[in-house]
Amino acid sequence: MSEITTGTGSNATIPTTTTNATTTTNATTTTNATTTTNATIPTTISSVTIATTTATTTTTVTTITTATTATTETTETTTATTTTTRTTTTTSSAADIWSLTIPTYATWNQTGITVAGNSNGTNGSDLGSLSTPVSIFIDNNYTLYVCDRDNNRIVKYYAYATVGILVAGNRTKGNDLSELWSPKGVAVDQYGNVIIADSSNYRIQKFPPGSTVGITVAINSSAISIGVMRDLHINVNNVIVITDSTYSRVVKFNASGGVGAIIAGINGVGSGSNQFSSPFGNFIDENETFVTIATTTATTTTTVTTITTATTATTETTETTTATTTTTRTTTTTSSAADIWSLTIPTYATWNQTGITVAGNSNGTNGSDLGSLSTPVSIFIDNNYTLYVCDRDNNRIVKYYAYATVGILVAGNRTKGNDLSELWSPKGVAVDQYGNVIIADSSNYRIQKFPPGSTVGITVAINSSAISIGVMRDLHINVNNVIVITDSTYSRVVKFNASGGVGAIIAGINGVGSGSNQFSSPFGNFIDENETLYVADSGNQRIQMWPAGVNSGITVAGINNSSGSSLGQLSSPNAIVIDNNGYASCRKVCIA
């Protein structure tokens, strides 16, 4: 019999919200735009782009916060060649994917940090340079996607990277499926497809994960005219929205293709309530309410990015742009605390009693190709529904994009070993907020960290005289970058900092036993945002809860040392999940 632990994926949702506001300045044109939007929007990625055409420098100011409940005002003033006054009043409530979420006490550093391109403002064509970047998108892992317009390409930058990775386009303007011409909008959908407004080709292109050959979603034709696009977004329903400056309108398309539909600007150029004049940026929420902003050209792009755990519901925005020097932004926000690590499950939820195979062979056979698994023992699911699997007997970690049937190798090479590129019987996996893959490399008695895109690991912790590490059965990482592992050899739970250092025992300090401060063959663990620990104490047939800082646990499920099948008993539980309602779920799954 082999044990399969499925608890690791429970804290896959790390709903920090990313908000991008790109503001462009101009000294020669006066534009007035007033828009009011009321929307409740989901927790993943939001991107608002306010027009550009000739920018060569991208400057970013970043604030990372965790929200509680409060009300405040934040005022930001910068100097440029345009006057922009924006007043936003926000009331926060339940978490949704597309909301702009700014906690009440948020402030911004007045000095920006260059995160892509040359900090001296020079353009270039190497992957450390940009030439007129005009639009950006940031995913849940803080990976930055840039429309590098005059290099006719899309480049992505992992968090803190100084050199980009080519995603689409090859610097040569053209209309082949591998080429782009003056791209002006980019977004990534929940399946990992990169959607691009290929502006001067008058088409929308979709690049599947890992592919440099695009698929044409829509193109200028007799069925629907597409002109020069200035911005592109995609919402949670896979609705693509583009701003068409040629025809002064906003058009939506289905990501799977088909003829578009005009959703705003049906009466040509003008200043009427049903008209636009040179519209640029747009934003669409899950209710398909959108905001469109008109502007002209620019020489500098300034980006303000806020990464936070707060949530937003109702927003009113009024924006006025005129020529000359100051930007003043006043924000009044009421925030409610975000529960990061809980699974949000309605109390009335039910499940289909028939499962669907999402990875591995549906007939139950093992294998070593990327469509097969051999004794998978732990999983993790990120915000894009990408599934990471500990493929134990293949000594590797494999990831599957949503609806994919073939996996992608993340770490390990099927050969058991202790080199930095090898694993041996991995039994726990998680992905932190920077995209690092953290692995319980169990039979090597070490914890490995694989940075995004790297197949060479970094050892975070290893069995040593400073801290003994035995056979690990599960691994989680919380919002504070605390790694928690269940060590069955020593019947305890140990925490480590993701940056390294000596671990600390946080539960099970008195060896094997059935006391309230002991475990017997513990397996799965779950840690919430308050650092309350839950452990599947398999050998004692119970689930133990350890609030932060205490020396003994409380039994919350099962009967100590009493294995059974009644609803008050458990039998060798080895995975544990806590949902948003405080309910625990645990189970034992075995295969022959």
Side-chain angles (χ1 to χ4, degrees):
M1 301 290 283
S2 301
E3 70 281 1
I4 299 180
T5 304
T6 57
T8 302
S10 61
N11 63 2
T13 306
I14 309 175
T16 54
T17 302
T18 303
T19 304
N20 303 310
T22 305
T23 305
T24 304
T25 60
N26 179 16
T28 60
T29 301
T30 301
T31 307
N32 297 311
T34 303
T35 308
T36 302
T37 304
N38 294 309
T40 315
I41 323 173
T43 50
T44 310
I45 310 162
S46 54
S47 200
V48 177
T49 304
I50 309 173
T52 85
T53 45
T54 59
T56 57
T57 303
T58 302
T59 306
T60 304
V61 181
T62 303
T63 302
I64 302 175
T65 64
T66 55
T68 51
T69 302
T71 302
T72 190
E73 290 191 355
T74 303
T75 302
E76 177 186 350
T77 304
T78 55
T79 300
T81 54
T82 297
T83 302
T84 303
T85 303
R86 174 181 299 159
T87 304
T88 304
T89 304
T90 307
T91 304
S92 297
S93 60
D96 289 317
I97 291 181
W98 299 94
S99 53
L100 302 179
T101 309
I102 303 173
T104 56
Y105 49 81
T107 59
W108 284 263
N109 193 317
Q110 298 302 300
T111 304
I113 301 167
T114 300
V115 295
N118 297 313
S119 58
N120 63 4
T122 58
N123 64 10
S125 59
D126 60 280
L127 287 172
S129 303
L130 299 170
S131 183
T132 317
V134 294
S135 185
I136 64 172
F137 181 93
I138 301 177
D139 72 13
N140 296 347
N141 298 316
Y142 313 139
T143 302
L144 171 69
Y145 292 77
V146 181
C147 272
D148 191 9
R149 191 193 72 181
D150 291 353
N151 280 323
N152 303 293
R153 68 188 181 186
I154 304 298
V155 184
K156 73 177 180 182
Y157 293 78
Y158 289 115
Y160 307 112
T162 56
V163 177
I165 297 170
L166 186 66
V167 173
N170 56 15
R171 285 188 45 219
T172 302
K173 67 182 181 184
N175 60 8
D176 286 348
L177 292 178
S178 61
E179 296 176 316
L180 301 171
W181 186 2
S182 192
K184 292 179 182 172
V186 62
V188 181
D189 70 14
Q190 62 263 52
Y191 309 116
N193 299 305
V194 180
I195 314 294
I196 301 166
D198 189 11
S199 189
S200 293
N201 280 321
Y202 311 109
R203 67 185 182 184
I204 299 169
Q205 295 292 93
K206 176 171 71 175
F207 287 77
S211 175
T212 57
V213 179
I215 299 167
T216 301
V217 174
I219 193 167
N220 182 49
S221 67
S222 58
I224 184 74
S225 298
I226 298 176
V228 173
M229 293 171 281
R230 299 294 186 177
D231 199 12
L232 176 149
H233 283 91
I234 186 166
N235 78 355
V236 73
N237 301 313
N238 262 7
V239 175
I240 299 170
V241 177
I242 58 101
T243 311
D244 187 331
S245 278
T246 301
Y247 297 102
S248 285
R249 64 191 183 189
V250 175
V251 186
K252 71 176 182 180
F253 297 87
N254 190 296
S256 60
V259 178
I262 301 168
I263 57 174
I266 57 175
N267 285 317
V269 180
S271 59
S273 61
N274 60 357
Q275 295 177 302
F276 295 119
S277 178
S278 299
F280 269 65
N282 74 63
F283 181 87
I284 187 165
D285 67 24
E286 89 289 359
N287 298 314
E288 298 194 15
T289 302
F290 71 92
V291 179
T292 302
I293 300 168
T295 186
T296 49
T297 59
T299 55
T300 302
T301 302
T302 302
T303 304
V304 179
T305 303
T306 302
I307 302 167
T308 175
T309 62
T311 54
T312 340
T314 304
T315 303
E316 277 188 12
T317 303
T318 303
E319 176 153 338
T320 306
T321 306
T322 54
T324 323
T325 49
T326 317
T327 301
T328 304
R329 176 180 299 158
T330 305
T331 304
T332 305
T333 310
T334 304
S335 299
S336 60
D339 192 358
I340 295 180
W341 295 98
S342 297
L343 297 178
T344 304
I345 301 173
T347 55
Y348 52 81
T350 59
W351 283 263
N352 194 317
Q353 298 302 299
T354 304
I356 300 168
T357 300
V358 294
N361 296 313
S362 58
N363 63 4
T365 58
N366 64 10
S368 58
D369 61 278
L370 287 172
S372 303
L373 299 169
S374 183
T375 317
V377 294
S378 187
I379 64 171
F380 181 93
I381 302 175
D382 71 13
N383 295 348
N384 297 317
Y385 312 131
T386 302
L387 170 68
Y388 293 76
V389 181
C390 271
D391 190 9
R392 191 191 72 182
D393 291 352
N394 280 322
N395 303 294
R396 66 187 181 186
I397 305 298
V398 184
K399 73 177 179 181
Y400 293 79
Y401 289 115
Y403 306 111
T405 56
V406 177
I408 298 170
L409 186 66
V410 174
N413 56 15
R414 285 187 44 218
T415 302
K416 68 183 181 183
N418 59 9
D419 286 348
L420 293 178
S421 61
E422 295 176 316
L423 301 172
W424 186 1
S425 193
K427 293 180 182 172
V429 62
V431 181
D432 70 13
Q433 62 264 51
Y434 308 115
N436 299 304
V437 179
I438 314 295
I439 302 165
D441 189 13
S442 190
S443 293
N444 280 321
Y445 310 110
R446 66 185 181 182
I447 299 169
Q448 295 292 94
K449 176 171 69 175
F450 287 78
S454 176
T455 57
V456 179
I458 299 166
T459 300
V460 174
I462 193 167
N463 182 48
S464 67
S465 57
I467 184 75
S468 297
I469 299 176
V471 173
M472 293 172 282
R473 299 292 188 179
D474 201 10
L475 176 149
H476 283 92
I477 185 167
N478 77 358
V479 72
N480 300 312
N481 263 6
V482 173
I483 298 169
V484 176
I485 59 103
T486 311
D487 187 331
S488 276
T489 301
Y490 298 101
S491 286
R492 64 192 184 189
V493 177
V494 186
K495 71 176 182 181
F496 298 87
N497 191 294
S499 60
V502 178
I505 301 168
I506 57 174
I509 57 175
N510 285 318
V512 180
S514 59
S516 61
N517 60 359
Q518 295 176 303
F519 297 119
S520 177
S521 298
F523 267 65
N525 74 64
F526 183 92
I527 188 167
D528 68 17
E529 81 282 4
N530 298 315
E531 297 200 15
T532 299
L533 174 69
Y534 299 82
V535 180
D537 189 9
S538 186
N540 285 322
Q541 320 301 332
R542 65 187 181 182
I543 304 299
Q544 293 291 91
M545 178 183 75
W546 293 61
V550 304
N551 294 319
S552 61
I554 302 165
T555 300
V556 294
I559 300 171
N560 191 17
N561 275 326
S562 175
S563 175
S565 58
S566 72
L567 289 177
Q569 294 176 298
L570 300 171
S571 180
S572 300
N574 54 26
I576 175 71
V577 174
I578 306 297
D579 70 14
N580 56 301
N581 302 305
Y583 296 142
S585 173
C586 52
R587 63 181 174 177
K588 175 180 178 180
V589 181
C590 294
I591 62 172

